[in-house]
Every structure is written in C-alpha cells, then in structure tokens.
Amino acid sequence: MAKGSNGRATLADVARRAEVSHATASRALNGSTRNVRPELRRRVLAAAAELGYIVNSAAQAVARGRGEHVALVVNGINDDYFSPVASGVLHAAEADDRMVTMISSRNSPEQATRVVASLRAQRPRAIILAGGRSVTAGAWDARLVDELTLFEGEGGRVVAISEEGLPFDTVAVGNRAAGADLAAQLADLGYREFTVLAGPAQARTAHDRVAGFRAALAERGIEVGENRVIHCGFDRDGGYAAAGECLRRRAPTQLVFAISDAVAVGAIARLREAGVDLPGDMAVAGIDDVPALRDVSPALTTVRLPWPEAGRAALDLVAEPVDTGPRVVRLRGHVVLRESTPVLGRL
C-alpha cells in the first residue's frame, strides 16, 4: 500500500484499508461532533492501528479551530514553590489522558506576555497560568491580561492558579489563611517572639502569607514589628542569607517563620552552621509541605497546601466553561505540626 513521502501511513491509507470515505475516516479519528456509525468507527480505528497511523494534531487543531492540549505557564520550572503547582496539574491531566505543555515565564510578566502571544498562534484548548502576582501591577501585567483576554475571545479557555483578582476563572489557594492558621497554632504552643523571613517584598504570595501571619498574632496581642521582618529570595539561598541577617540583628527570637519551606531549609542550614541548636535554641516553621522535607531534620512544621486538588480544579474549570463571568474555586491548606516547633517549655 502506498504511504506518504515520509514513509508513514496517511489518512487516505486508513480510509482505503477501512473501505470508507476520506471524510468518514477523518471524522472517526479527530473526534468530530458529526456522527459516525459505530461499526464504521471501529473499522477506521482498527485500520489506523494496523497501519500505525499517527494523528496529525496540528491538522486537527486547524480542522476544529482549536487543539486539545493544554498549555501550563509557570513562573519557574526549577522553583520549589511552583514545582508542586505544576505537579498537581500534570497529575490531574494524566488522569484525564490529556497532553500538557509546560512553559516557564522566568518570573517575568513581559516574558509571560510573549509566551501567551505565541500560544495564541498554536491554538491550545486552554492556558493555565500558575504563579503568584506582584503586589503592584505594572504595564506588562496589563498587557498579559490583554493577551489572555484575546485568547479567550478566540475560543480558548484561561484558568489561573493564583491569587484572586484576575478577570479569569481562578483556583485560589489561601495564602493569607495559611499564614494565619500557622500563627494561631504556634501561639497556642506558647511562642511569642518571632522573626519572619518574608520572601520578596513585591511578591503577592509572600505578602499575603506574612499579612495573615502577623494579623493572627495581633489578634492575640502579639506584635511582629517591621524590624522582625526580613525580606529575601523565595528559595533556599534566600533563606540562608535571611537567617544570617537574623543572627546579625540579635533580636530575641523563639521561632523563625519562613515564608516557604524552601526558605526554611536555607534558614536551618545557616542557623545550624552558626551553632544554633534546633529546636532547642530556636524553632523553625514554613509553608508548602514540599516533598524535600522528608530529608530535613528536625522534621519541619509547615502548612500543607492542596496542590493536587488545585490541579484537578483547574482542569475541571477548563472542561466546564460557563457564560456567567469568572469563577473562583477557593482551597485551604492545613497546619502540620512536627518536631521543629515543640511546645514551648518542653524543649
């Protein structure tokens, strides 16, 4: 049987083997909404399997007006915060047998805007934008929203895994609540003197976690002044440097609250390097509950955030478009108390 110039079976080959028209073979293989009789569909699928026919997804996208794959745009692929976000989406997509392309915006709204503009030409079914926003939106943030709005206007779907406030369906994981819930339980353990390793000053995720933490303590009469807040990178090296600054300030500290587990891991390394006994001299807590915590000693108290549920919720929003405006799915983590924060007085 004749094949295409590249030696692969063509749609025409499949149609001839199944003894159906080219149009019927196409509809059977590309999931067309036009009906194909079950017996004809079975013949086409059997012929395609026998010939090793590979569906041309680009051609399908042209025929349907949109492809079936999903584009996941994350702030950074090596980031300890965004790794569980991406993992949640990828696991949910695998369960749905859906293809996902992951692209990094390198923490840049300008780069994210270019990525979305490129994706508009590729016509994926949906773009999932996973990442925190800035406290102060700039011109490139507005251009990114414009590009995403154009993508939706062309028939695509947009879902954000981010803080609330974007004009798109959003899965919001409660960062402010995470900070507040952790603070409440630490106060119940007896802690009163805190230093906060607060992450980047302009990162909305970090800002909300710190705000929730300080507000919950303030409700209990515990003030965390600005002199107890140290801004740093949202990663291990940022935590290492911030813990060094904490030591230099010599402010009485019973517990170091790190804005993320990655920051906490760096802080633990620096404190231990300085001879600080953990948790005997100082307790440490974080947020995220990343897998790497299994190798941290003492076992780190943290807030487990529901990233698998966030991924599932994002894909459900993709599959269930509505005409009533942006929807918000709110998810909340829960505190996991471990050895790094014993009851004060029982060290």
Side-chain angles (χ1 to χ4, degrees):
M1 177 175 291
K3 294 188 177 183
S5 59
N6 60 6
R8 296 177 180 174
T10 66
L11 183 60
D13 298 330
V14 174
R16 282 193 293 270
R17 174 67 66 89
E19 297 181 340
V20 299
S21 70
H22 189 284
T24 295
S26 176
R27 287 194 293 269
L29 290 169
N30 69 18
S32 170
T33 56
R34 296 183 62 182
N35 289 331
V36 176
R37 294 202 309 272
E39 64 273 20
L40 294 182
R41 186 181 300 277
R42 284 193 295 270
R43 279 162 47 187
V44 171
L45 295 177
E50 291 171 7
L51 294 170
Y53 174 72
I54 300 173
V55 175
N56 186 330
S57 57
Q60 282 192 351
V62 172
R64 298 180 191 171
R66 191 146 303 275
E68 283 302 308
H69 71 286
V70 173
L72 172 63
V73 181
V74 299
N75 282 18
I77 57 176
N78 295 320
D79 193 299
D80 290 313
Y81 172 70
F82 295 108
S83 293
V85 180
S87 179
V89 173
L90 294 173
H91 278 108
E94 184 178 359
D96 288 355
D97 196 24
R98 186 181 295 282
M99 182 68 70
V100 176
T101 301
M102 185 167 66
I103 309 166
S104 170
S105 66
R106 302 198 298 274
N107 288 296
S108 164
E110 182 177 353
Q111 177 64 14
T113 302
R114 294 193 184 101
V115 167
V116 172
S118 176
L119 288 171
R120 284 178 57 202
Q122 299 176 34
R123 304 182 68 80
R125 180 177 183 187
I127 294 174
I128 297 177
L129 188 69
R133 296 155 55 206
S134 173
V135 174
T136 56
W140 279 105
D141 298 271
R143 294 187 193 182
L144 174 60
V145 169
D146 288 344
E147 283 291 338
L148 291 166
T149 300
L150 288 170
F151 177 77
E152 279 204 325
E154 295 162 350
R157 300 279 298 114
V158 174
V159 175
I161 302 177
S162 186
E163 295 83 13
E164 296 183 45
L166 290 169
F168 310 106
D169 287 346
T170 299
V171 179
V173 176
N175 285 305
R176 185 178 290 265
D181 292 347
L182 180 60
Q185 295 211 34
L186 294 175
D188 288 345
L189 293 176
Y191 293 96
R192 296 294 182 270
E193 296 177 335
F194 299 87
T195 292
V196 178
L197 311 188
Q202 296 302 314
R204 176 75 179 275
T205 296
H207 173 275
D208 286 357
R209 291 180 181 185
V210 172
F213 189 83
R214 295 174 76 182
L217 291 177
E219 289 176 0
R220 291 161 173 77
I222 305 169
E223 296 297 327
V224 179
E226 287 298 327
N227 64 319
R228 296 297 190 93
V229 177
I230 303 172
H231 291 287
C232 60
F234 212 141
D235 55 16
R236 184 267 181 200
D237 290 345
Y240 184 92
E245 176 62 23
C246 174
L247 292 170
R248 283 189 290 274
R249 292 185 183 186
R250 298 181 180 275
T253 300
Q254 296 169 327
L255 187 144
V256 168
F257 164 51
I259 201 62
S260 74
D261 292 340
V263 172
V265 168
I268 287 172
R270 181 65 181 89
L271 294 171
R272 184 168 285 132
E273 183 181 279
V276 177
D277 179 50
L278 305 175
D281 296 332
M282 194 178 295
V284 181
I287 293 180
D288 286 327
D289 200 28
V290 297
L293 292 185
R294 289 172 293 187
D295 300 320
V296 173
S297 178
L300 185 67
T301 286
T302 187
V303 181
R304 180 174 298 158
L305 297 179
W307 296 125
E309 293 86 345
R312 177 72 271 161
L315 286 181
D316 287 346
L317 288 172
V318 166
E320 301 169 5
V322 294
D323 299 323
T324 56
R327 299 163 292 178
V328 178
V329 176
R330 298 178 179 88
L331 300 176
R332 189 165 185 152
H334 66 275
V335 177
V336 182
L337 295 175
R338 297 193 178 109
E339 296 169 5
S340 70
T341 59
V343 177
L344 203 61
R346 297 184 186 176
L347 299 174

